[in-house]
Amino acid sequence: MAKIIDGKAVSTAVKAQVAQEVAVLKEKNIVPGLAVIIVGDDPASRVYVNNKKKACEALGIYSEEHALPADTTQQELLALVESLNNRSDISGILCQLPLPGHLDEKKVINTISPLKDVDAFHPSNVGAIMIGDYHFLPCTPAGIMELLKAAGVEIAGKRCVVIGRSNIVGKPMAMLMLHANATVTICHSRTVDLPAVCRQADILIAAVGKAGFVTADMVKPGAVVIDVGMNRPEGGKLCGDVDFDGVEPLCSAITPVPGGVGPMTIAMLMKNTLMAAKLQNAVR
C-alpha cells in the first residue's frame, strides 16, 4: 500500500509558518502586499484568483485585484504593471495566465520587476534558478520539493524522470531535482519509448495535462509518483495525469488529485510574497 502524500496537511504547515513571519513583519510596520492582475473572464482563472485572495486574507497579507476587460490593450496592461512596480506597499505582482491572445505574455512577464516576480517567471529569476542562487522559485515545483521533504523522500543519488518540459513546471522542476543531486531525465512528446524511460525512475513527476496518461506499465515498483495534473474530462470529476487506481498499488508513495500538489501552489505563492517583502525591506 502506497503512502499518500497529503498536500493539504503540508500546505497548512507552510501557511502557518508564513502567517507567523507575516505577524513578525507587521510588528516592524511592514505589511506584505500582493497585486493580482486578471484580464478577461476565464472561469478557471477566476477560481485561482479568488483562492489567492482568500489565502492572503487568512495569512495577514494585503491583497488587491486588478480585473481588466478582455479588450485591454498591451499598453494599458504594461502601464498597470509599471505602476505596481513603483508602489512600496506592493511586494509581489502576479499576472494570471493565460492572457487573451492579442496580449504578449512574454512582454508582461519581462516588465514585472524581478524583485516582485512572485511567480518566478522573469528571465532574471529563471537564470538564478539555473545556477542555483535564487530568491524565488516557481510555485508548483517549489511545492513539490516541500512535499518530497515532508514525506521523507531521499532525492540525492536517485533517478528522477520529469514528464513535461513547460517553463512553468517541467524545466524548473528538473533543475530543482538536479540541485538536490538527483540524476534527471526530462521526457516530452518526442521521447522514444517513454514507458521504458519512466520505468527507470525512482521519482516520477508527471506534468503533461492529460488525464490518466501515466499507467501502471510506466512505473517502477517502489517508485515515488508525483502527479501535477489537474484535468476535468467532460462530465467527469477532477483527476490527474496518473491513473491513480492502477499505479497506487505499485508505488511507495503518491500524491492524490485533488489534495496533492494543488494546495501547495498557493502556499508557495504566499511564501514568495513574504520573501519579496523581506527583500524589499532588507529584512533577513
Side-chain angles (χ1 to χ4, degrees), residues 36-42 45-47 49 65-69 94-96 99:
V36 180
I37 302 168
I38 179 170
V39 185
D41 50 8
D42 178 71
S45 290
R46 170 45 59 198
V47 170
V49 167
E65 177 189 312
H66 296 266
L68 306 179
L94 184 151
C95 187
Q96 186 66 45
L99 291 171

Side-chain angles (χ1 to χ4, degrees), residues 152-184:
V153 175
E154 180 66 44
I155 298 173
K158 297 295 173 66
R159 285 186 171 271
C160 172
V161 172
V162 179
I163 314 173
R165 54 177 165 181
S166 73
N167 291 333
I168 295 172
V169 180
K171 289 178 190 171
M173 188 73 249
M175 289 312 303
L176 294 189
M177 295 302 282
L178 192 60
H179 292 323
N181 297 314
T183 298
V184 184

Side-chain angles (χ1 to χ4, degrees), residues 89-139:
D89 61 327
I90 295 297
S91 322
I93 302 168
L94 184 151
C95 187
Q96 186 66 45
L97 304 178
L99 291 171
H102 69 284
L103 296 171
D104 185 340
E105 288 183 1
K106 196 171 163 186
K107 263 190 184 163
V108 175
I109 289 165
N110 289 0
T111 303
I112 294 172
S113 163
L115 280 176
K116 297 191 176 190
D117 170 37
V118 287
D119 264 334
F121 291 165
H122 190 284
S124 295
N125 289 327
V126 173
I129 293 162
M130 176 69 76
I131 61 173
D133 182 18
Y134 47 77
H135 294 300
F136 304 120
L137 290 173
C139 300

Side-chain angles (χ1 to χ4, degrees), residues 114-274:
L115 280 176
K116 297 191 176 190
D117 170 37
V118 287
D119 264 334
F121 291 165
H122 190 284
S124 295
N125 289 327
V126 173
I129 293 162
M130 176 69 76
I131 61 173
D133 182 18
Y134 47 77
H135 294 300
F136 304 120
L137 290 173
C139 300
T140 301
I144 291 168
M145 297 304 285
E146 287 283 343
L147 287 177
L148 292 170
K149 182 179 166 188
V153 175
E154 180 66 44
I155 298 173
K158 297 295 173 66
R159 285 186 171 271
C160 172
V161 172
V162 179
I163 314 173
R165 54 177 165 181
S166 73
N167 291 333
I168 295 172
V169 180
K171 289 178 190 171
M173 188 73 249
M175 289 312 303
L176 294 189
M177 295 302 282
L178 192 60
H179 292 323
N181 297 314
T183 298
V184 184
T185 302
I186 304 176
C187 294
H188 44 79
S189 58
R190 301 292 179 89
T191 299
V192 176
D193 200 355
L194 179 65
V197 178
C198 291
R199 281 193 296 272
Q200 297 173 17
D202 301 306
I203 302 168
L204 180 61
I205 301 170
V208 285
K210 291 183 180 176
F213 181 83
V214 175
T215 49
D217 67 312
M218 297 168 72
V219 178
K220 174 184 178 179
V224 174
V225 178
I226 304 293
D227 190 348
V228 185
M230 295 278 278
N231 311 291
R232 197 184 291 277
E234 273 188 50
K237 61 178 185 177
L238 193 68
C239 63
D241 290 347
V242 177
D243 170 19
F244 186 90
D245 292 339
V247 168
E248 186 267 339
L250 273 176
C251 53
S252 60
I254 189 169
T255 57
V257 176
V261 174
M264 295 304 300
T265 300
I266 286 182
M268 301 317 287
L269 172 65
M270 299 297 106
K271 194 172 179 178
N272 279 352
T273 304
L274 169 68

